[in-house]
Amino acid sequence: MKNFLQISVVLLSIFSVVSCQKETTKEAPERSLIIIVKDYSASISQSKTEQEMEIQHLTHYLNQHLIENTDVMVMNINSHSDSRTNTTWFKFNAPKVQQATRVQSESEKELEQTFYLAKVRKTLKSTQKKIIEQMYGTTTSSNQTAIVELLYPISEVLKNYNKVNVCIYSDLIQESDFTDFTKGEWPMSSKTYASNLAKTDFERLQKQGLEIDLIKVISIDVVTPNEPENEKYYVTMPYYWDTLLKLGHYNGKINWQKL
C-alpha cells in the first residue's frame, strides 16, 4: 500500500510538471516574407507619372501584405541580379512590451493589446516609407536584364520562411549572358517554343548545381510598363515563365498587370 502511494505521488508530480510546460509553451509565430523585385535595366525608362503610378501600386500592395512578423526583401534586376549586394533587407522587429508585474484584468489586457497593435502599425508604416525611399532613390541603369538568375538566391532565402509573396516590377524580357530572349525567335513564335526554351534553361540551372524550389511562394504579381509597342511579346512569352516556375515547384499562377 505504501509503495502504491509513493508511485501515485511521483506520477502526479510528473503530470503536474508536464501540464505546466504545456501551459507556458507558445508556438513560434509564422514567419512571412515579401519579395519585391525592381527592374533597373536600360530597357526600362519611366516618366515621373509612371513612377508615381508604380509607387501607388506598391503602396497598395504593401498595405495588403505587410503585416506583423513579415520581413521584406528588395531585389534589383540588373547585370548582377544574383549578387548578395544586390539585395536590401527590411526585417520586422516586434515592438517591446513591458511585462506585467501583477495579475491584469481583462480590460487591462485588451488596452495593452490595443497599444501594442498601434505600435505595430507605426512600425509597418515606417518600414513601408523606407522601402519606397530605397527603391526610388538614385539608381544606375544596367545593360543586362538578369531575371532567371534571381531564382536560386530566392530559393535559398525561402528556407527560413513559412510563406512568401512576390511582386515584380519589370517587363520580364530576359536579356543576359545566361539566356537572352531577343537573340532567339523574338517575339517567341509559339507556346511550344516558349515552353521548350524554359525547359532547356531549367536543365542548364540544374547542371550548374542550382536547386530551385519555390514551393513556399503563394503568389507572384508581375507589373509591366504600359508600353503598347511591347504587347506583341506577351502573346507567348508568359508561357516561358509559367513553365520555368512550375518546374521550380511554384504551384500558383502569375498575376500579370499593367500600370
Side-chain angles (χ1 to χ4, degrees):
M1 184 68 178
K2 184 178 180 180
N3 289 339
F4 175 77
L5 290 172
Q6 288 176 336
I7 292 171
S8 299
V9 170
V10 170
L11 290 174
L12 184 60
S13 299
I14 293 171
F15 179 76
S16 298
V17 170
V18 172
S19 297
C20 290
Q21 287 177 339
K22 285 183 177 179
E23 289 175 2
T24 56
T25 300
K26 291 184 179 180
E27 290 185 8
E30 187 176 71
R31 295 192 67 199
S32 301
L33 175 66
I34 297 172
I35 299 176
I36 302 171
V37 183
K38 171 74 173 160
D39 196 335
Y40 292 102
S41 57
S43 61
I44 302 291
S45 59
Q46 281 188 319
S47 66
K48 185 177 179 180
T49 301
E50 288 170 332
Q51 187 179 96
E52 288 173 351
M53 290 172 63
E54 192 171 281
I55 291 173
Q56 285 179 1
H57 181 279
L58 176 58
T59 301
H60 179 68
Y61 184 87
L62 291 173
N63 285 338
Q64 281 187 306
H65 298 284
L66 184 56
I67 59 176
E68 189 178 2
N69 297 317
T70 301
D71 295 336
V72 180
M73 181 174 72
V74 177
M75 306 182 80
N76 300 338
I77 295 174
N78 50 33
S79 302
H80 50 281
S81 297
D82 56 350
S83 170
R84 289 186 179 183
T85 58
N86 210 33
T87 298
T88 306
W89 280 93
F90 299 87
K91 297 274 190 175
F92 175 80
N93 293 311
K96 293 182 180 179
V97 178
Q98 189 173 357
Q99 296 297 324
T101 57
R102 60 179 178 80
V103 178
Q104 292 179 303
S105 65
E106 286 302 315
S107 59
E108 286 175 326
K109 289 179 182 178
E110 290 176 4
L111 185 60
E112 188 175 88
Q113 179 69 3
T114 300
F115 285 146
Y116 174 77
L117 293 177
K119 289 181 180 179
V120 168
R121 286 193 292 271
K122 186 177 180 180
T123 298
L124 296 177
K125 283 294 180 184
S126 176
T127 300
Q128 188 177 117
K129 183 180 178 182
K130 290 176 183 176
I131 291 169
I132 292 172
E133 287 175 349
Q134 188 273 334
M135 288 180 60
Y136 298 94
T138 304
T139 57
T140 304
S141 62
S142 165
N143 60 358
Q144 290 197 17
T145 311
I147 306 168
V148 175
E149 290 85 340
L150 291 172
L151 297 182
Y152 177 68
I154 287 176
S155 296
E156 288 295 290
V157 167
L158 300 194
K159 296 174 182 178
N160 301 317
Y161 292 90
N162 300 98
K163 62 180 181 180
V164 180
N165 293 285
V166 180
C167 186
I168 304 170
Y169 294 96
S170 170
D171 57 15
L172 279 199
I173 299 175
Q174 171 85 17
E175 295 178 87
S176 76
D177 294 334
F178 178 79
T179 191
D180 189 334
F181 290 172
T182 66
K183 296 291 176 63
E185 296 181 16
W186 189 244
M188 293 183 182
S189 57
S190 66
K191 174 183 175 180
T192 301
Y193 173 83
S195 298
N196 287 340
L197 180 60
K199 291 173 184 176
T200 300
D201 286 346
F202 191 81
E203 288 173 4
R204 290 170 61 209
L205 289 171
Q206 289 184 310
K207 287 177 181 178
Q208 292 178 14
L210 302 177
E211 183 182 349
I212 310 302
D213 188 358
L214 307 173
I215 198 166
K216 291 183 180 179
V217 176
I218 61 174
S219 72
I220 297 178
D221 287 76
V222 175
V223 184
T224 63
N226 187 11
E227 297 176 352
E229 65 273 17
N230 285 351
E231 287 301 307
K232 57 184 177 290
Y233 302 136
Y234 296 100
V235 176
T236 52
M237 183 182 70
Y239 292 109
Y240 172 92
W241 294 110
D242 286 340
T243 302
L244 191 72
L245 296 177
K246 187 175 181 180
L247 289 169
H249 309 300
Y250 174 58
N251 296 318
K253 294 183 177 180
I254 301 174
N255 179 28
W256 294 85
Q257 305 169 57
K258 280 193 302 185
L259 278 182

